[in-house]
Structures are given as C-alpha cells and as structure tokens.
C-alpha cells in the first residue's frame, strides 16, 4: 500500500488522539524496528534487506504495537524463543490479508472485502486476533447465499468456525436445490459432503440429491486423477453412498436413476426393488427416516390413557378425524403391535383432507413390533403440512395378527413445549367403516409432528 506521507517534523502535533498517531505509523518506515516479507516467493539477491520477489511485499512494522495487539506477536518478540531478526519472512500469509491485520492492530479499522475475507480470517486466527476474526465471520454471514453456502461451509469447517458452519447448513437446508446446483458444491471435501448428507432437514427429493452426489463423485475422480468409471465413483464416495436414503424415493425415481447408475451393486439394486414392491419388506442397509425439511424438535401426542388386548384386522382401515389449532407438519404415526410376541406388519398410512376428500400423503410400508404394549413408529416419506382449523382424517390399514389397542381416549390432547406455544389436537370419530376406531377406543394412538 502506497501511503501519502506527511512532513516528518512535528507530525505528532497534527494528530489529536492516540489512535490517529498509531494509524499514522501503519505501514510506515518511521520508527519501525522490524520488517515482514509477506507472500510466496524468494527475495531477490538473498540475505537480510534483499528486495522482495514477485508476489511478495516488504512491510515495515513496530514490535511494541504488534505485541500489544497479539499474543502471538508478543511471544515472537518477547518470549523465551524471541526472534532478534530485523526481517521476518511469512510465506504462508497473503500481503493484502497481513496489511488488513496490521491496519486493525494500529487503528481498529476493518478493511475486508469478498476477495480478501477468507485470507484475512486465516491471518486473524494465525495471530490470535479474535476481534478481527469476528468481523470476518460477520462479513461472511451477511454475504451468505445459497450459491456460495457450500464454499463458505468448507472454509468454516477448515477454520473451525462453528457459528458460521451452522448458518451455512441452515441456508443449505432452506434452499437445498439452489445450493447443490452451485459450482461450489462439487468442490467440497468428502467430510463436508457426509456432514450434509447426514442431515434430516434438507429440502429436496432424494432422487435429485442422488444426482448431485453423482456429479460430486465425477468431480472427485478428476481431482484424484482417476478414470470416471462406476467403480471409481463408488470408491471415492465411500461411506457417503450409505447416507443416501434410497427408501425415500418412489420406485419410478429409483428405477430411472440409482438402479441404472452402476454405482450400486446388482444385489443392492435387487434388494431395494424388493423393498419397494413386496411385504414384509426385506431389511436394507439404507436409512428410511424422512428428511423433514423442518426445524426444531420432534414432538408427539398420545390420545389414549390405557392399553388393552385384542384388536383385529380384516382389510378395513382404522380412521380417526382431527383438527389442530396451529400449523404443524406430521411426519408419522405411532401404532400398536401384536399381542402374540415379535411380529411384522404390513401397513398403509394416509392423511386425508376430510372436506376435500383429498389424500395429502401416504406410504405403503411395514413395521416390526416386539410384542409389548408400546407404540411403533411408521413414518411418511415426506412431512405433511397441517393447517389450523381444517379437518383431517388419519388412516392406517394394517395386515397382521391381532394387536393391542387404546382405551379411555381423550377428545382433546394438548402438547406443551417450553420454546413454543401450545399445540391442541381435537379428535372426532370418523363416519363410515373405520374398523371400530373411535375417540374412545382403537388404533392410531400417536401422531408424530413438528411445529
């Protein structure tokens, strides 16, 4: 930085404050007692005082000012291993970032921009200047968008900035499709990819997420200078492949994409097709928990106060109507299981808009029970939005042996949360053939939801 210099004689008289006097000394040879050769490259001529090479900059500084602002500089100049050199080379620091650090130490002035913020953050961390580090994180937070969220997430993980990483992940959750479509997505490292795939809150169809992961694998093969083959894509993905939730896809999505990708083995493809088409469903080594696209904590309510034995099934759906006082998203039901010990059930679950007679969500699946009177989770593939005061029908069609059932049912059930307002469910018996389920007795004891 070329600074316009004032006459040196009596310059102190023109500065009305300590800050002004120190700011005048920033990048100034006046009174300097140390020089830094910053940036990659070799100084021309060698030896102390040699001219900086291409990409380097020789910057004057004052030991006292630097030691007063940074514990690292204090140790460098005054510690037990203090340097006595008048010129110090810093090949791992960018000149612009080092000048931004010194400007801050001399004057508290923050001068960062999109091109220098990451290198300045690195330099602030290296020299233990947390106030400048906080300014960098604040700048990044203000400029965080879906199209740069993955790039910033990689940097936040690299620089151990959990607050920034959390904000990046929130942005990716809210705008997953835009985030994975950006150039920066294919540049992330495998650990960052896995951290994202583990999340329950991504707002994207699993088939599209799989397509993005394949793009990442192709880019990673090129980075590792490997031929882009099915086997190499599987190799570079490693455990990331196990984090794709194939059971959340429709059979059509699976057949059109993953089944033909060559990344899954023939046995995995067959097992997943069986999972989609037969009951009871064979166990697969992939997560089937929905990506809720929701914030907060999972909640549930149980409408029965007591459990009894025997509830039979003959192909008729158990149904119960309900309304809620606020907008929620239902992700599944808790159902009763067998009175005859461990058993597998086939089940279709639905939520229907009662007035419109419109199915809002359904899932053909199954569940295993252990013979106890507990409830067993059966989940939808995607959250179902429930609006206040609208009447809905919860429906479960079970195929299996006689089960436990609930009695002493409550017409009104209130869920209280310390961080949110009350959620009030009101239940109504469903007209028509409902396999006997009513407000007082029956199946569908539990609703699992997010507020």
């Amino acid at each position: 930085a070329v600074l316009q210099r004032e006459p040196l004689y009596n310059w102190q008289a023109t500065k009305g404050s300590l800050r002004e006097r120190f700011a005048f000394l920033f990048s100034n040879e006046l009174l300097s007692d140390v020089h830094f050769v910053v940036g990659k490259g070799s100084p021309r001529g060698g030896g102390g005082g040699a001219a900086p090479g291409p990409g380097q900059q020789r910057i004057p500084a004052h030991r006292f000012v630097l030691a007063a602002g940074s514990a690292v500089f204090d140790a460098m100049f005054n510690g037990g291993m203090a340097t006595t050199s008048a010129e110090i080379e810093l090949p791992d620091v960018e000149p612009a970032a080092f000048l931004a650090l010194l400007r801050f130490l001399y004057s508290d002035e923050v001068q960062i921009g999109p091109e220098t913020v990451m290198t300045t953050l690195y330099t602030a961390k290296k020299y233990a200047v947390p106030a400048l580090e906080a300014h960098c994180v604040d700048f990044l937070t203000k400029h965080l968008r879906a199209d740069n969220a993955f790039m910033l997430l990689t940097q936040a993980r690299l620089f151990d900035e959990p607050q920034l990483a959390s904000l990046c992940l929130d942005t990716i959750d809210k705008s997953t499709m835009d985030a994975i479509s950006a150039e920066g997505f294919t540049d992330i490292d495998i650990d960052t990819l896995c951290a994202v795939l583990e999340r329950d809150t991504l707002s994207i169809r699993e088939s599209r997420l799989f397509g993005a992961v394949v793009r990442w694998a192709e880019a990673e093969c090129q980075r590792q200078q490997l031929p882009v083959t099915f086997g190499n894509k599987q190799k570079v993905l490693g455990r990331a492949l196990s984090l794709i939730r194939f059971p959340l896809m429709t059979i059509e999505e699976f057949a059109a994409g993953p089944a033909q990708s060559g990344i899954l083995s023939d046995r995995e493809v067959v097992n997943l097709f069986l999972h989609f088409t037969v009951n009871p469903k064979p166990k697969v080594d992939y997560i089937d928990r929905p990506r809720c696209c929701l914030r907060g904590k999972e909640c549930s309510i149980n409408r029965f106060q007591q459990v009894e034995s025997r509830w039979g099934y003959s192909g008729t759906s158990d149904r119960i109507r309900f309304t809620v006082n606020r907008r929620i998203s239902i992700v599944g039901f808790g159902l009763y299981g067998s009175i005859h010990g461990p058993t597998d059930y086939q089940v279709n679950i639905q939520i229907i808009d009662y007035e419109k007679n419109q199915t809002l969500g359904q899932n053909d699946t199954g569940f295993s029970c252990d013979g106890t009177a507990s409830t067993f989770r059966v989940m939808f593939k995607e959250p179902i939005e429930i609006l206040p005061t609208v009447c809905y029908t919860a429906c479960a069609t079970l195929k299996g042996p006689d089960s436990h059932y609930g009695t002493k049912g409550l017409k009104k059930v209130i869920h209280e949360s310390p961080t949110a307002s009350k959620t009030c469910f009101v239940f109504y018996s469903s007209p028509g053939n409902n396999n006997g389920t009513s407000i007082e007795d029956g199946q569908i004891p539990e609703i699992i939801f997010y507020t």
Side-chain angles (χ1 to χ4, degrees), residues 34-338:
V34 67
H35 288 79
F36 293 91
V37 179
V38 185
K40 293 178 182 176
S42 300
R44 296 188 184 95
Q56 291 184 314
Q57 191 167 338
R58 190 168 185 268
I59 300 170
H62 307 78
R63 295 170 185 254
F64 168 74
V65 178
L66 272 55
S70 158
V72 175
F73 283 127
D74 189 20
M76 183 186 294
F77 299 132
N78 305 311
M81 303 285 287
T83 180
T84 58
S85 175
E87 188 164 285
I88 299 168
E89 290 191 21
L90 303 176
D92 63 328
V93 177
E94 290 290 325
F98 194 70
L99 284 167
L101 174 73
L102 295 192
R103 187 186 297 276
F104 184 76
L105 294 179
Y106 278 78
S107 66
D108 286 337
E109 183 182 341
V110 178
Q111 194 172 90
I112 51 179
E115 303 300 322
T116 61
V117 62
M118 296 312 307
T119 53
T120 304
L121 176 59
Y122 166 77
T123 307
K125 277 188 164 291
K126 178 181 173 72
Y127 292 103
V129 185
L132 180 59
E133 183 185 329
H135 282 293
C136 292
V137 172
D138 186 55
F139 180 91
L140 290 168
T141 301
K142 288 177 180 175
H143 291 79
L144 174 60
R145 306 181 308 275
D147 62 359
N148 65 12
F150 274 109
M151 182 273 289
L152 293 181
L153 175 60
T154 300
Q155 299 295 329
R157 287 167 60 86
L158 177 65
F159 293 134
D160 190 27
E161 289 290 345
Q163 182 183 1
L164 177 60
S166 177
L167 291 169
C168 290
L169 288 168
D170 284 345
T171 300
I172 291 166
D173 284 345
K174 294 172 187 173
S175 306
T176 309
M177 194 65 211
D178 290 339
I180 66 168
S181 300
E183 286 184 22
F185 171 72
T186 55
D187 296 331
I188 64 178
D189 59 87
I190 183 67
D191 290 337
T192 302
L193 177 66
C194 289
V196 171
L197 294 179
E198 287 171 344
R199 294 179 71 75
D200 291 338
T201 43
L202 301 178
S203 51
I204 189 172
R205 294 289 307 169
E206 204 70 18
S207 56
R208 292 189 173 185
L209 187 61
F210 175 78
V213 169
V214 172
R215 280 194 295 113
W216 180 91
E218 291 168 352
E220 183 66 14
C221 284
Q222 293 172 350
R223 278 191 290 273
Q224 296 188 23
Q225 298 182 326
L226 297 171
V228 183
T229 63
F230 298 146
N232 283 337
K233 285 190 279 189
Q234 188 180 57
K235 177 184 174 183
V236 299
L237 281 170
R239 79 177 190 92
L241 188 60
S242 68
L243 300 175
I244 299 292
R245 304 183 185 186
F246 295 105
L248 300 186
M249 300 180 187
T250 65
I251 189 170
E252 293 81 9
E253 288 172 335
F254 180 75
Q260 301 181 49
S261 69
I263 293 177
L264 295 173
S265 70
D266 291 345
R267 173 172 287 188
E268 288 171 320
V269 171
V270 169
N271 283 346
L272 281 162
F273 269 125
L274 290 173
H275 179 82
F276 287 122
T277 55
V278 304
N279 282 303
K281 297 185 179 299
K283 181 174 173 57
V284 292
D285 295 327
Y286 295 98
I287 302 166
D288 60 0
R289 186 172 64 252
R291 298 194 191 272
C292 297
C293 325
L294 302 170
R295 308 294 177 275
K297 188 178 179 182
E298 182 181 283
C299 309
S300 65
I301 55 101
N302 193 315
R303 64 192 189 92
F304 293 122
Q305 300 177 81
Q306 190 171 313
V307 182
E308 298 285 353
S309 302
R310 172 178 308 260
W311 199 260
Y313 305 99
S314 58
T316 303
S317 301
D318 287 272
R319 296 169 179 256
I320 189 73
R321 291 186 300 148
F322 66 93
T323 59
V324 190
N325 68 324
R326 60 185 298 194
R327 175 179 285 186
I328 64 170
S329 292
I330 290 179
V331 295
F333 299 148
L335 302 179
Y336 291 121
S338 172

Side-chain angles (χ1 to χ4, degrees), residues 411-424:
K411 181 174 179 63
K412 180 185 288 188
V413 181
I414 296 175
H415 181 275
E416 298 195 40
S417 167
T419 57
S421 54
K422 294 179 181 178
T423 306
C424 179

Side-chain angles (χ1 to χ4, degrees), residues 383-403:
I384 300 168
E385 184 179 50
I386 302 297
L387 300 176
T389 71
V390 177
C391 189
Y392 299 91
T393 302
C395 176
T397 310
L398 282 82
K399 186 176 180 182
D402 291 353
S403 74

